[in-house]
């Protein structure tokens, strides 16, 4: 073997040994629902409870930034300011705090103000995706209720959208938000 090949081979072998013995072998912690399962009952959780529980797990600097954002709407064009703040809150919850369900909630709040079918469907589908993965019945109800409201508002804009009707039925079925179990299936039919 040539000298260059020997150096490359030994360097690769040393790198593998270093990664094997000194590399991180612990899986990263997963961020599940922001609500503690022990605190939740089988009823629907309110948005205030979800936000309060999520804010307990963040640092004081992050909390002060969130409070500053929430209180930043002032006089003038309040609707546009609220849309901008909801987008900022959604981005902060999603990118920095890694709480995707709460970010989807804020995307939905901004979409309600914009009254855009595309944004309403986007936020509702994010909530529905989290609903499918959620195991906490209270959190399922919260996600389903918020997604249902967004899908219904989207249907007011475009009543002929069949995929939204099916997804609305999925909210009823997976979120268990109706007293009659056939209501979700009726929406899908």
């Amino acid at each position: 073997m040539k000298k260059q090949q020997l150096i490359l081979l030994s360097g690769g072998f040393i790198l593998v040994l270093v990664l094997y013995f000194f590399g991180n072998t612990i899986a990263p912690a997963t961020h599940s629902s922001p609500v503690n399962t022990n605190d939740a009952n089988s009823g629907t959780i309110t948005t205030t409870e979800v936000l309060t529980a999520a804010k307990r797990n963040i640092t004081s600097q992050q909390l002060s930034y969130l409070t500053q954002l929430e209180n930043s709407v002032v006089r003038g064009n309040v609707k546009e300011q609220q849309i901008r703040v909801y987008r900022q809150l959604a981005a902060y919850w999603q990118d920095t705090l890694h709480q995707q369900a709460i970010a989807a909630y804020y995307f939905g709040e901004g979409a309600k103000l914009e009254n855009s079918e595309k944004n309403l469907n986007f936020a509702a589908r994010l909530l529905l995706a989290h609903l499918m993965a959620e195991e906490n019945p209270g959190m399922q109800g919260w996600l389903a209720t918020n997604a249902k409201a967004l899908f219904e508002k989207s249907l007011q804009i475009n009543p002929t959208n069949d995929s939204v009707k099916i997804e609305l039925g999925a909210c009823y079925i997976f979120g268990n938000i109706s007293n009659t179990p056939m209501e979700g299936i009726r929406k899908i039919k």
Side-chain angles (χ1 to χ4, degrees), residues 16-185:
V16 168
L17 287 176
V18 167
L19 287 175
Y20 181 75
F21 288 111
F22 300 108
N24 186 7
T25 57
I26 299 172
T30 59
H31 297 285
S32 60
S33 67
V35 176
N36 188 353
T37 312
N38 298 331
D39 294 343
N41 56 9
S42 61
T44 302
I45 299 171
T46 64
T47 302
T48 306
E49 291 171 341
V50 171
L51 291 175
T52 303
K55 287 179 181 178
R56 274 189 241 136
N57 300 328
I58 62 176
T59 65
S60 60
Q61 293 169 335
Q62 293 169 334
L63 183 61
S64 67
Y65 180 72
L66 283 174
T67 306
Q68 177 189 357
L69 273 178
E70 290 168 349
N71 298 330
S72 66
V73 176
V74 292
R75 290 185 221 148
N77 193 354
V78 175
K79 182 179 175 182
E80 291 300 319
Q81 288 179 29
Q82 284 180 326
I83 291 170
R84 182 180 46 79
V85 166
Y86 283 141
R87 284 182 184 160
Q88 289 176 334
L89 283 167
Y92 191 72
W93 279 104
Q94 183 177 27
D95 298 335
T96 305
L97 301 176
H98 306 292
Q99 295 287 337
Q100 308 302 326
I102 297 174
Y105 166 76
Y106 280 116
F107 279 128
E109 291 300 306
K112 285 179 189 176
L113 291 175
E114 289 176 324
N115 207 21
S116 162
E117 180 187 8
K118 180 181 108 177
N119 292 339
L120 286 166
N121 289 339
F122 171 74
R125 287 179 179 137
L126 283 175
L127 288 168
L128 184 59
H130 290 289
L131 170 63
M132 301 287 194
E134 184 61 48
E135 295 177 3
N136 181 351
M139 191 66 179
Q140 284 177 341
W142 180 77
L143 290 166
T145 303
N146 284 303
K148 174 184 159 269
L150 294 172
F151 281 133
E152 287 174 344
K153 191 158 177 87
S154 176
L155 280 175
Q156 290 175 353
I157 297 171
N158 183 5
T160 61
N161 193 338
D162 293 334
S163 64
V164 171
K165 292 178 185 176
I166 291 169
E167 290 163 332
L168 181 59
C171 288
Y172 281 102
I173 292 170
F174 294 110
N176 199 19
I177 55 175
S178 175
N179 293 334
T180 57
M182 291 301 290
E183 188 169 353
I185 295 171

